[in-house]
Amino acid sequence: MGPRLPRAIVVGAGLGGLGAAAELRRRGIGDITVLERAEDVGGVWRDNHYPGAACDVPSSLYSWSWSPNPGWTRRYARQPEILDYVRREARRSGLLDLVRTGARVTSARWDESAATWTVEVAGGRSYEAELLVMAQGQLSEPVVPPVPGADRFAGPAFHSARWDHEVDLAGRRVAVIGTGASAIQFVPRIVDAVGAMTVFQRTAPYVVPKLDRRYTALHRRAYGRFPSTQRFGRRLTWALSEQLNRAMTERGPLVGALETVWRLQLRAQVRDPALRARLVPDFPLGCKRLLFSNDWYPALTRDHVDVVTDDLVGVERDGVRTADGRLHRADVLIWGTGFAATRFLADVDVVGRDGARIHDVWRDGARAHLGMTVPGFPNLFLVYGPNTNLGGSSIITMMEAQARAIGRAAAALGAGRRALEVRADVADAYDVEIQDRLRDSVWAGCTSWYRERGGRISTNWPGLVREYVDRAAELALADFVPETSAPAGGDR
């Protein structure tokens, strides 16, 4: 009787986790458990249901490659449609049968003698498997900054990722803290309903036009009857998005063109020079996420909207006070302050070989070989881990490359390999390369700006998606600590 296929635990039932589970199943892994803390699948698209929530990647590219959706109604799909896609395809492909909802993972511990991971969830239940895949991603933990007095606010207060639809905003004074990717979507949707709005901006974003449009029924029928047309559109969109990635990493001519487009939109949509000056970013284009919107700037020009750039010093019962001493009165407080993108595996105590805790290893910033695997943590793989985020293109392409690599790791375990632990020298060399490239590419102009705000860059990938896909495909047994008991043969 030969070696048996490994058991697998996947933590997170978003696009990344479900995609990894699908790849493992294609590899013949029969014992797969997907642990999801919420009561439904969908990840970020389940949690972010604020008004105007939508994708800023074209729909043709924002889907699993193995499950195209000819029914997208818009070039840039909105949240309800994306969530429906995830639910529908997970059900159709049988992935829902693998998911255990309401299972919030609290810890994962490596057992050296058994070469297994023991994963505990809130409530005391535990699971065991040879392979552990952590797929919580970078956008699962909303951030509310530690502003003094935030808990004293008398009115409703919530984060955009936890939108409270029971709160009636009509005619009320609304304070919005933050001007990132979520705020530029929900502010235009609620601005005409509220009585007054104060938008607190720490850093102005670069915002360029979003070339969105509705697809016709004829368009959708063509995609359905002739799948090659959708595949062509996907490849074309991917090629164009790679040019955006190239611009972000190499600072080519397209960056100048984007800066020109941004400046023209700002000038055309904001006529007040004083307001326009407040909306100019203080960093080079590319240091933060480029945002797409046609109605963000017009929303800020409404007579009942005030954009405040003074530092916040505290929240009081009836408003927000800024450094100039002014109290900005509000009835409702909305935090549009994004996610803890650098807090990988937040709130999970991951203990590897010899009792090493991953958060101790990451004390100076998260890092992982190819964003997937960490020395000292055998048979543990990450999806959407450190340095795998993009300035352009679809993160799904990156996550599918990771899923394929994890599938090959599972096959190696099934062929008799006991443990896969990436070599420290391999991981260190990779990390030095990535950090050097981030400093030497478009990020060269951002280095001092980032150091002022925390130093190490642990989120973004410094190259093209194609390069990452190719390198993930080259992840080989030679990159891992040798095992004397490992079977002879190839390195896949």
Side-chain angles (χ1 to χ4, degrees), residues 188-478:
R189 292 298 180 272
I190 67 174
V191 68
D192 289 328
V194 305
M197 179 183 289
T198 305
V199 177
F200 295 89
Q201 171 189 277
R202 184 180 68 167
T203 306
Y206 285 95
V207 183
V208 297
K210 188 173 187 176
L211 303 179
D212 195 11
R213 71 180 182 91
R214 180 176 290 279
Y215 288 146
T216 65
L218 179 63
H219 189 124
R220 296 194 296 275
R221 282 198 299 271
Y223 274 180
R225 286 193 62 186
F226 307 104
S228 60
T229 61
Q230 188 174 20
R231 288 195 296 270
F232 173 78
R234 182 183 177 96
R235 288 194 295 269
L236 178 61
T237 302
W238 182 80
L240 293 173
S241 70
E242 282 284 74
Q243 295 308 308
L244 178 59
N245 284 326
R246 188 183 300 278
M248 293 295 103
T249 57
E250 298 178 8
R251 202 160 187 85
L254 183 55
V255 170
L258 288 170
E259 289 177 343
T260 299
V261 170
W262 157 73
R263 199 173 298 278
L264 289 174
Q265 173 163 270
L266 177 63
R267 180 169 292 276
Q269 294 183 338
V270 181
R271 297 305 180 94
D272 178 2
L275 174 59
R276 193 163 61 235
R278 294 203 296 277
L279 300 177
V280 174
D282 64 352
F283 56 88
L285 191 149
C287 294
K288 293 185 68 177
R289 181 175 172 181
L290 180 67
L291 304 182
F292 299 85
S293 175
N294 303 319
D295 46 16
W296 166 247
Y297 289 139
L300 302 183
T301 66
R302 301 287 204 277
D303 291 339
H304 64 295
V305 176
D306 186 21
V307 178
V308 176
T309 58
D310 293 295
D311 291 340
L312 275 63
V313 296
V315 176
E316 302 180 12
R317 282 185 54 82
D318 54 353
V320 179
R321 193 171 296 278
T322 47
D324 60 356
R326 182 180 174 190
L327 177 65
H328 305 266
R329 298 189 182 277
D331 305 311
V332 180
L333 175 59
I334 303 175
W335 299 93
T337 42
F339 300 87
T342 60
R343 287 188 62 215
F344 295 91
L345 308 185
D347 302 325
V348 181
D349 183 24
V350 181
V351 183
R353 192 188 296 279
D354 299 325
R357 282 182 156 79
I358 203 163
H359 291 299
D360 292 336
V361 173
W362 286 348
R363 186 178 294 109
D364 297 325
R367 64 200 73 193
H369 183 56
L370 289 167
M372 286 189 281
T373 181
V374 183
F377 297 84
N379 296 3
L380 170 67
F381 290 85
L382 311 177
V383 173
Y384 200 0
N387 295 115
T388 62
N389 199 29
L390 299 172
S393 196
S394 172
I395 192 63
I396 296 177
T397 308
M398 300 283 281
M399 294 191 298
E400 288 192 353
Q402 293 155 18
R404 290 189 292 272
I406 294 168
R408 293 194 301 276
L413 294 175
R417 183 85 182 205
R418 188 170 185 271
L420 291 170
E421 178 187 348
V422 68
R423 290 163 38 198
D425 62 314
V426 170
D428 289 345
Y430 174 83
D431 184 63
V432 169
E433 176 206 343
I434 294 304
Q435 293 301 311
D436 285 348
R437 288 176 61 183
L438 286 166
R439 284 189 290 268
D440 293 341
S441 62
V442 64
W443 299 85
C446 311
T447 301
S448 60
W449 188 85
Y450 262 88
R451 282 178 177 163
E452 292 172 3
R453 292 157 175 80
R456 179 184 177 82
I457 302 168
S458 60
T459 52
N460 280 63
W461 166 248
L464 301 182
V465 174
R466 168 50 64 190
E467 180 197 350
Y468 183 85
V469 169
D470 291 343
R471 293 183 69 164
E474 294 167 358
L475 185 64
L477 290 184

Side-chain angles (χ1 to χ4, degrees), residues 25-47:
R25 196 173 56 180
R26 281 193 290 273
R27 290 276 179 168
I29 309 301
D31 191 341
I32 304 170
T33 302
V34 180
L35 301 176
E36 170 53 55
R37 66 182 181 182
E39 297 302 327
D40 194 7
V41 301
V44 67
W45 296 108
R46 176 199 59 232
D47 295 341

Side-chain angles (χ1 to χ4, degrees), residues 23-258:
E23 177 64 27
L24 289 172
R25 196 173 56 180
R26 281 193 290 273
R27 290 276 179 168
I29 309 301
D31 191 341
I32 304 170
T33 302
V34 180
L35 301 176
E36 170 53 55
R37 66 182 181 182
E39 297 302 327
D40 194 7
V41 301
V44 67
W45 296 108
R46 176 199 59 232
D47 295 341
N48 287 265
H49 44 75
Y50 56 80
C55 192
D56 57 9
V57 175
S59 305
S60 59
L61 197 55
Y62 201 81
S63 60
W64 287 305
S65 62
W66 45 268
S67 185
N69 177 24
W72 292 122
T73 63
R74 306 191 67 87
R75 175 177 286 160
Y76 293 92
R78 295 175 179 174
Q79 178 267 341
E81 195 170 7
I82 299 173
L83 181 57
D84 180 67
Y85 165 78
V86 176
R87 287 170 170 164
R88 183 180 68 249
E89 295 308 307
R91 185 184 310 110
R92 183 192 62 79
S93 60
L95 292 173
L96 283 185
D97 298 336
L98 310 178
V99 180
R100 305 291 179 265
T101 58
R104 181 173 63 84
V105 173
T106 58
S107 68
R109 181 177 292 271
W110 172 251
D111 183 334
E112 179 67 24
S113 61
T116 59
W117 283 95
T118 299
V119 177
E120 294 188 352
V121 302
R125 184 168 182 180
S126 63
Y127 299 81
E128 287 188 358
E130 287 73 30
L131 177 65
L132 176 59
V133 180
M134 305 296 280
Q136 298 100 312
Q138 298 187 18
L139 306 176
S140 60
E141 296 294 329
V143 166
V144 174
V147 179
D151 57 343
R152 297 201 300 268
F153 186 69
F158 50 86
H159 192 280
S160 60
R162 302 291 184 266
W163 194 276
D164 189 345
H165 293 275
E166 298 299 316
V167 176
D168 184 6
L169 301 178
R172 306 182 79 176
R173 298 172 299 183
V174 176
V176 175
I177 299 178
T179 54
S182 300
I184 73 157
Q185 292 186 339
F186 73 73
V187 164
R189 292 298 180 272
I190 67 174
V191 68
D192 289 328
V194 305
M197 179 183 289
T198 305
V199 177
F200 295 89
Q201 171 189 277
R202 184 180 68 167
T203 306
Y206 285 95
V207 183
V208 297
K210 188 173 187 176
L211 303 179
D212 195 11
R213 71 180 182 91
R214 180 176 290 279
Y215 288 146
T216 65
L218 179 63
H219 189 124
R220 296 194 296 275
R221 282 198 299 271
Y223 274 180
R225 286 193 62 186
F226 307 104
S228 60
T229 61
Q230 188 174 20
R231 288 195 296 270
F232 173 78
R234 182 183 177 96
R235 288 194 295 269
L236 178 61
T237 302
W238 182 80
L240 293 173
S241 70
E242 282 284 74
Q243 295 308 308
L244 178 59
N245 284 326
R246 188 183 300 278
M248 293 295 103
T249 57
E250 298 178 8
R251 202 160 187 85
L254 183 55
V255 170
L258 288 170

